[in-house]
Every structure is written in structure tokens, then in C-alpha cells.
Amino acid sequence: MRIVMFMILAVQQRRVVIENNHGEKLSGILHETGSKQLVIVCHGFQSSKERIPMVNLAAALEKEGISAFRFDFAGNGESEGLFQYGNYRREAEDLRAVVQYFRGENRVISAVIGHSKGGNVVLLYASKYNDVHTVVNISGRFNLEKGMEGRLGKDFLLRLQQHGYIDVFNRKGKFEYRVTEESLKDRLTTDTRAACLLIQQECRVLTVHGSMDKIVPVEDAIEFAKFIPNHKLHIIKGADHEYTSHQGELTSVVLDFLRESFNAEKDMPKLLLKDHSFRSRL
């Protein structure tokens, strides 16, 4: 009689609240698989941990036996604090608080992943701390001086000078947030090129971008490739900024890169080592 044994992977999702260095509580969801390795997933501008592709990426990692944590930056989603335009460096410090918390829980932070503005945040983090050696930038913006007119209007600088602030409303006329001179300056003084050049050679960086992204042009992805020392670029043909019709391809590209990186560091989860032709199941 042949006995076949199956291992059942117990996966739990639970809320974790982490305090940043401003005393604000950051709300997140831990996809707990029991692995010591943990991947942190960061959302974009005026977004949250509940948006695509953050949920799908965390779920794909979970299915492969890797624990993942997706959270809301201060002032976003369920986290405390006021939403601020700009805020790139402060959000990198939110990420720092999350990394330190889980290290205190004896976790190995295997990678950080960021979508859109979150892509900029994970790169800023890598440039400053150099303690997570696998970074994924999904649709981040290289030229931060661009892309403001679409949200603020063509005459935003004039209005800012006249009133000292700009109030932004959605299409239904509902107030969303206020842009101050200070917050605009924060964005314009965030030097993406300098940050890229500070990322160390041992840090492996993947930039993924959609060829049909109308929010952040694909040319920005090519700029990242020019300045990050250890960089891989993948353009997904036909994909928009949210990868609306390309979620499966996005998760496959990201997870394949993580496999390569974990292999290179000889720190790859056992479930991934079993199948070197590994693909996302989504």
C-alpha cells in the first residue's frame, strides 16, 4: 500500500498596526504563511492597501508560501495622519517603521514592492538604508516635475502664488486634499536621479511598466534603467497604470524576479526551490 502525504499550508490574514516615528498608527494586513521571509507591498498616490495591484500581489505571494504585508501610508486608507501632497521622504520613513517592526519580530525582509508613488518610495528607501536587497518599482515616476498639471490644472503655479494653496476636488466636486507651497516643494525637491545613483550594486531592482500607461509615461521607466546600478526593466505591452487587464502577467513578472533574486542570495523559500519554472497561479 502506497501512502501519499500532503502538506497543507495554513494561511492567515490578520490586521497589524504599526506606529511610525510621528506617533501615527499605520494599518496593514499581514498575509501569514508561516515563512520567516516577508515581502512588503506599498501603494501609490491617494491609494490604499486595498487597491489593485497591492491585493493581487500579496495574494500571489501568499499562494507561493511567502508571507506578505500590505499597509496604508499615514494619511491614506485606514492609517492615522493627514493626507499630504508630496510626502515622498516621509512615506519612506513609514516604510522604515514597518521594516523595523517586522525585524523586531525576527522576520527577514526579502523584498519591498511599490506601485506608482510607492515605487518611488521603495527606491528612496533603498537609496537611504541599503538593508533590503530586492526592490520592485512598478510604474514609478522618474520625472517628478511632470504630471502635476493633470491633477492641479495648467495654471496651478499662478493659483498657488495668489492664494498660498490649491484645493483639489474630484469630478463630482467633492474636496479631496489641499496642496500647499511646502508640499509642492517637497515633491519638486525629491531628486529621483540622485536617489537612483545612491542605490548600491548589491541591491537588485526591477522596474515594471505598462506600455499604455497614461498616468506615468513609459519613458520614465527607461530613465530608471539609466541610473540604477543593478537594474532590470520589463515593459508589459498594452498594460495601463493599474494593469487592469494584465494582473496575471504583472504578478508573474514580479514573482519570477523575486525567485531569481532569492536564488542569487541563497535565501529562497523552499516552495520556490521545488519548481524553477515557477509561475504565478493567478
Side-chain angles (χ1 to χ4, degrees):
M1 179 179 178
R2 185 181 178 186
I3 300 175
V4 181
M5 297 183 67
F6 296 93
M7 182 183 74
I8 299 175
L9 185 65
V11 177
Q12 296 180 338
Q13 291 185 22
R14 61 183 175 89
R15 187 174 304 277
V16 176
V17 176
I18 300 167
E19 189 172 295
N20 67 11
N21 59 7
H22 295 279
E24 298 160 333
K25 293 178 180 178
L26 308 176
S27 177
I29 300 296
L30 176 64
H31 296 243
E32 178 64 85
T33 67
S35 71
K36 199 170 184 179
Q37 285 84 7
L38 179 71
V39 175
I40 300 172
V41 183
C42 303
H43 67 78
F45 178 81
Q46 210 181 5
S47 185
S48 79
K49 64 183 180 301
E50 304 301 336
R51 291 283 296 276
I52 295 173
M54 278 62 67
V55 172
N56 282 0
L57 285 166
L61 288 161
E62 174 188 295
K63 287 182 180 180
E64 300 303 331
I66 308 169
S67 295
F69 183 68
R70 51 186 171 91
F71 74 101
D72 296 324
F73 289 113
N76 292 267
E78 298 178 314
S79 290
E80 293 181 348
L82 295 175
F83 176 84
Q84 297 286 337
Y85 189 79
N87 239 24
Y88 290 82
R89 288 173 285 245
R90 182 160 168 167
E91 290 188 358
E93 294 308 310
D94 282 354
L95 176 55
R96 177 66 170 172
V98 170
V99 169
Q100 288 182 314
Y101 172 85
F102 282 108
R103 287 214 172 107
E105 298 287 311
N106 295 315
R107 296 280 188 158
V108 176
I109 310 303
S110 299
V112 289
I113 301 172
H115 173 247
S116 194
K117 183 185 179 186
N120 292 85
V121 170
V122 297
L123 293 172
L124 283 171
Y125 180 90
S127 73
K128 183 173 182 179
Y129 292 106
N130 191 37
D131 61 354
V132 178
H133 294 152
T134 302
V135 175
V136 179
N137 159 37
I138 302 171
S139 305
R141 185 183 294 278
F142 187 87
N143 297 306
L144 292 180
E145 70 277 10
K146 297 183 179 180
M148 291 181 285
E149 287 188 358
R151 295 184 187 275
L152 308 181
K154 291 184 178 181
D155 61 343
F156 71 93
L157 285 175
L158 178 61
R159 287 186 290 128
L160 195 63
Q161 290 171 358
Q162 289 176 338
H163 305 290
Y165 63 88
I166 298 171
D167 284 342
V168 178
F169 298 84
N170 64 19
R171 293 178 181 177
K172 295 181 179 179
K174 182 180 178 182
F175 172 80
E176 290 195 326
Y177 57 89
R178 174 167 288 184
V179 179
T180 62
E181 290 187 51
E182 183 182 3
S183 61
L184 184 67
K185 184 179 178 181
D186 179 273
R187 172 167 173 155
L188 294 176
T189 58
T190 301
D191 192 335
T192 306
R193 180 180 180 275
C196 290
L197 291 171
L198 286 171
I199 297 173
Q200 300 297 306
Q201 177 69 32
E202 62 267 25
C203 181
R204 300 173 184 86
V205 179
L206 168 68
T207 291
V208 187
H209 215 102
S211 68
M212 298 301 290
D213 191 332
K214 294 182 180 180
I215 295 176
V216 180
V218 70
E219 287 78 14
D220 280 43
I222 297 168
E223 291 299 306
F224 283 115
K226 292 178 182 177
F227 299 105
I228 298 174
N230 190 351
H231 185 269
K232 182 176 182 179
L233 175 62
H234 189 103
I235 307 297
I236 297 182
K237 292 182 179 180
D240 61 15
H241 192 66
E242 295 284 336
Y243 299 84
T244 307
S245 302
H246 296 78
Q247 285 295 303
E249 189 173 354
L250 174 63
T251 54
S252 180
V253 169
V254 171
L255 294 176
D256 279 347
F257 178 78
L258 296 184
R259 170 182 55 79
E260 293 169 7
S261 188
F262 295 161
N263 262 333
E265 291 188 359
K266 297 181 180 179
D267 190 25
M268 190 175 178
K270 290 180 180 179
L271 284 176
L272 299 187
L273 284 170
K274 288 171 65 178
D275 180 10
H276 291 278
S277 62
F278 161 71
R279 289 292 184 275
S280 168
R281 296 172 190 160
L282 289 181

